[in-house]
Amino acid sequence: MIPLKRPLSHPSFIFNKSNSKSLRSLIKNTRSTNETFSSPIPIFYFKFSDSTMPIFAANSSSFSRVNTHFPDSVNQPTLTSKAQTFPQIRTFCVKRTNPNAELSASNDIPIVSTVSGPIQTSQPIDAGSSMRKPISLWPGMYHSPVTNALWEARSSMFEKSFAEKDSQTELVAKTPSMSRTSIAYKFSSDYILREQYKNPWDEMRMGKLLEDLDAFAGTISYKHCRKDDGATRPILLVTASVDKMVLKKPIRVDFDLKISGAVTWVGRSSMEIQMEVTQSTPDSPDPSDSVALVANFTFVARDSKTGKSAPLNQILPETEHEKLLWKEAEERNKMRKQKRVAEKKDVDNRDEDRLNTLLAEGRVFCDMPALADRDSILIRDTRHENSLMCQPQQRNIHGRIFGGFLMRKASELAFSNAYAFAGAAPCFMEVDHVDFFKPVDVGNFLRFKSCVLYTELENPMKPLINVEVVAHVTRPELRCSEVSNKFYFTFTVRPEAMKEGLKIRNVVPATEEEARRVLERMDAERSQ
């Protein structure tokens, strides 16, 4: 008896080797016909829907479901009287009959479950379903059910594009309500979904939430760019930057969560999408206290053929609230431009005193380590790295590495770094402004380098740990390495850990370059 190798999520079964010749001969005689076949040997029941694609079902009372890797056909195979009746059928691939139906004029994109077909609904997107394809059948797939659903909805926008004769004159003005979308995480009732988002301390994995926010912002941006008939201009929309995100209250993984967002501001070729993460808990039943996080993502449009900037549909705010959001976004856009200009200036002479103050303790570590402060540590001694190859499974619909993936990997490395530094599980506080300098392509060798840049110990019960993560795109064939992104995360530790005697060390630079990075981050924090 030879056991067939199947994933752990499948029920195991035994293939009777002694009867294999009889089975092969019966199959050979039946391949050319479209007929139902029942083996006299209790191994399989199957039907040849065509000459190349058999659909199998286990012919045994020990099996409780049918799993197939083949697309559903219009005429499903029917079980004969000799076959068992299965109480649950999971379909892994579904053919859409109407690609534009799921992107109707409603404000919410219906979710496409990872195992079920499109569901026409006006309700917010459901982030998960208990009927989901087993995780073990997604080799190399890193993304969540949420990004699966959002990408599926977004990809259908490409199935109908503008005709070549359509020009920039086809641009129209849209209201924020036309792009408003929401997505619901039913953590309280969906165990499978909850398992994918909780960390070892039964708290929210913030990296996965950041990943979902990027995918969600991309879906909203495409919704703003398409026409009323569902047609989409041939443009590329990419994440340009992410504004600082501050966690207003802890996000729990055992209560339902909702993300809603819309386009709030549009320039010539860029747009800003604002999203709110809300969660009602027994501690905050008031809807006004349910906002846990506000995120502002900036996307830019590029012509798919030339790569140059492409114009976008303009925005027409209607309500007073929408006009206020537009005004705030306009101010943020001006501040970003001013910041880019200021970053090009050299450090003033007055910063020399600050540099020397920062470097004083670092020089003691380097020159007289036996006399160094034992409550301090050098920046270089807090470093952690992570390297990976960018695989095809991590690409977005344009064939490049999805920005949310980079944010999640950077967040998880920063969390690990803070954990190793503090000696206790850290709590996410905020992520600072993120700029995407270079695109990351499939096949690139990506290196994440992190370090604890500095700590803030003024409040002994709530110390702050500032972690820097720099993503390098490395191309060994070309002997080059470029910075793709810089991420800055802030963590703290629980008061209970501090009461038990935990002590957070001061971090000091050893070189002038490190000292300047610390000063830049401190100044950036003060300016916000």
Side-chain angles (χ1 to χ4, degrees):
M1 303 290 284
I2 303 176
L4 290 180
K5 295 181 179 179
R6 303 292 293 172
L8 293 176
S9 58
H10 290 263
S12 60
F13 57 87
I14 303 297
F15 184 80
N16 194 334
K17 182 179 179 182
S18 62
N19 295 322
S20 60
K21 284 188 177 180
S22 300
L23 180 61
R24 283 197 296 270
S25 63
L26 287 169
I27 292 176
K28 182 176 181 182
N29 295 332
T30 318
R31 276 187 75 112
S32 59
T33 63
N34 184 9
E35 62 180 289
T36 302
F37 170 77
S38 237
S39 169
I41 312 157
I43 302 177
F44 293 112
Y45 150 81
F46 57 91
K47 175 181 177 179
F48 290 100
S49 56
D50 57 53
S51 61
T52 61
M53 188 178 293
I55 299 177
F56 293 92
N59 186 13
S60 170
S61 58
S62 63
F63 290 83
S64 60
R65 63 177 182 269
V66 177
N67 286 330
T68 172
H69 291 275
F70 304 106
D72 289 347
S73 57
V74 177
N75 299 317
Q76 295 290 334
T78 55
L79 298 175
T80 63
S81 59
K82 295 183 180 181
Q84 298 291 331
T85 301
F86 302 94
Q88 182 179 355
I89 296 179
R90 295 191 177 191
T91 303
F92 291 172
C93 299
V94 177
K95 180 179 180 181
R96 284 198 303 272
T97 57
N98 184 3
N100 292 321
E102 49 192 273
L103 290 170
S104 59
S106 66
N107 288 338
D108 299 309
I109 304 175
I111 188 172
V112 181
S113 171
T114 49
V115 293
S116 59
I119 302 173
Q120 295 300 326
T121 175
S122 60
Q123 299 299 319
I125 299 174
D126 182 0
S129 170
S130 58
M131 289 289 291
R132 185 174 300 113
K133 183 175 179 179
I135 301 173
S136 61
L137 296 181
W138 290 89
M141 302 294 273
Y142 66 91
H143 47 264
S144 68
V146 177
T147 55
N148 291 341
L150 294 175
W151 286 2
E152 180 70 18
R154 197 191 312 175
S155 64
S156 63
M157 299 181 189
F158 290 88
E159 296 180 4
K160 184 178 182 181
S161 60
F162 278 105
E164 290 293 332
K165 63 179 181 180
D166 288 334
S167 64
Q168 297 180 6
T169 58
E170 296 294 330
L171 294 173
V172 296
K174 288 193 164 189
T175 63
S177 60
M178 297 176 73
S179 64
R180 185 163 296 280
T181 314
S182 60
I183 184 168
Y185 295 73
K186 299 179 181 179
F187 288 134
S188 62
S189 57
D190 194 333
Y191 171 79
I192 297 177
L193 184 69
R194 187 166 65 247
E195 282 295 302
Q196 296 184 59
Y197 280 83
K198 74 175 185 179
N199 66 16
W201 298 273
D202 290 332
E203 296 172 347
M204 171 64 72
R205 288 178 60 187
M206 293 302 300
K208 288 187 72 67
L209 185 61
L210 294 177
E211 180 182 46
D212 290 350
L213 285 170
D214 185 72
F216 191 46
T219 302
I220 294 173
S221 67
Y222 276 98
K223 195 172 183 180
H224 175 79
C225 293
R226 68 187 179 95
K227 293 177 65 177
D228 294 337
D229 62 358
T232 306
R233 293 167 53 235
I235 59 175
L236 306 179
L237 291 171
V238 296
T239 311
S241 64
V242 181
D243 282 355
K244 182 176 182 177
M245 286 183 276
V246 180
L247 190 65
K248 297 183 177 181
K249 68 172 190 175
I251 297 177
R252 298 180 58 174
V253 78
D254 53 346
F255 286 90
D256 291 347
L257 188 74
K258 183 178 180 180
I259 306 177
S260 57
V263 175
T264 56
W265 175 89
V266 177
R268 180 189 175 276
S269 60
S270 62
M271 71 177 82
E272 183 174 297
I273 301 97
Q274 184 174 98
M275 295 165 287
E276 282 190 349
V277 180
T278 57
Q279 185 178 61
S280 296
T281 62
D283 300 333
S284 58
D286 188 353
S288 61
D289 298 330
S290 62
V291 178
L293 188 71
V294 177
N296 295 302
F297 281 65
T298 301
F299 277 66
V300 294
R302 295 286 183 265
D303 187 275
S304 59
K305 296 181 179 178
T306 65
K308 297 181 179 179
S309 62
L312 293 168
N313 292 332
Q314 290 301 301
I315 196 81
L316 281 179
E318 294 180 317
T319 66
E320 291 300 321
H321 181 63
E322 289 174 350
K323 293 177 180 178
L324 177 62
L325 292 178
W326 183 92
K327 185 177 180 181
E328 292 175 348
E330 178 74 11
E331 291 297 323
R332 282 192 295 269
N333 183 58
K334 291 179 180 178
M335 289 181 63
R336 280 193 290 266
K337 291 180 179 178
Q338 293 172 0
K339 184 180 178 181
R340 284 194 291 268
V341 173
E343 286 177 348
K344 296 179 181 179
K345 296 181 180 179
D346 295 331
V347 179
D348 295 336
N349 292 331
R350 65 177 180 270
D351 288 331
E352 292 301 323
D353 293 338
R354 298 170 65 196
L355 283 172
N356 291 329
T357 302
L358 280 174
L359 287 169
E361 186 61 31
R363 292 191 180 108
V364 175
F365 267 93
C366 296
D367 300 334
M368 297 172 287
L371 302 177
D373 184 0
R374 296 308 168 196
D375 292 331
S376 298
I377 186 174
L378 292 175
I379 289 177
R380 67 189 183 197
D381 292 331
T382 67
R383 291 174 181 170
H384 287 263
E385 291 189 15
N386 185 20
S387 301
L388 57 93
M389 286 296 303
C390 296
Q391 304 293 348
Q393 293 82 6
Q394 295 147 2
R395 70 187 184 276
N396 59 20
I397 54 180
H398 301 309
R400 283 181 164 162
I401 300 303
F402 162 50
F405 169 76
L406 302 177
M407 295 180 68
R408 179 170 69 87
K409 299 300 287 187
S411 174
E412 291 174 349
L413 179 59
F415 184 94
S416 301
N417 198 332
Y419 188 19
F421 172 78
C427 300
F428 174 87
M429 294 287 292
E430 64 184 51
V431 55
D432 202 3
H433 181 90
V434 179
D435 286 311
F436 290 79
F437 303 117
K438 299 286 183 181
V440 183
D441 296 318
V442 173
N444 285 164
F445 182 48
L446 196 59
R447 298 184 66 187
F448 291 92
K449 300 180 181 181
S450 72
C451 67
V452 178
L453 206 55
Y454 65 97
T455 55
E456 299 175 65
L457 310 176
E458 289 79 7
N459 185 350
M461 297 306 296
K462 192 177 181 180
L464 300 181
I465 305 170
N466 295 273
V467 181
E468 176 190 62
V469 181
V470 182
H472 296 262
V473 178
T474 304
R475 297 178 176 87
E477 301 91 342
L478 303 178
R479 299 176 63 226
C480 71
S481 179
E482 297 177 297
V483 174
S484 169
N485 307 83
K486 289 184 179 181
F487 305 89
Y488 298 95
F489 298 90
T490 303
F491 299 91
T492 187
V493 293
R494 296 174 182 81
E496 300 80 25
M498 301 304 297
K499 291 178 181 178
E500 294 174 358
L502 181 67
K503 193 169 184 178
I504 303 300
R505 301 170 77 178
N506 184 40
V507 181
V508 295
T511 65
E512 184 174 328
E513 184 271 335
E514 290 177 345
R516 291 186 185 277
R517 281 161 51 198
V518 172
L519 287 180
E520 287 175 2
R521 289 310 311 152
M522 288 181 173
D523 291 342
E525 286 291 327
R526 294 192 186 99
S527 64
Q528 295 177 359

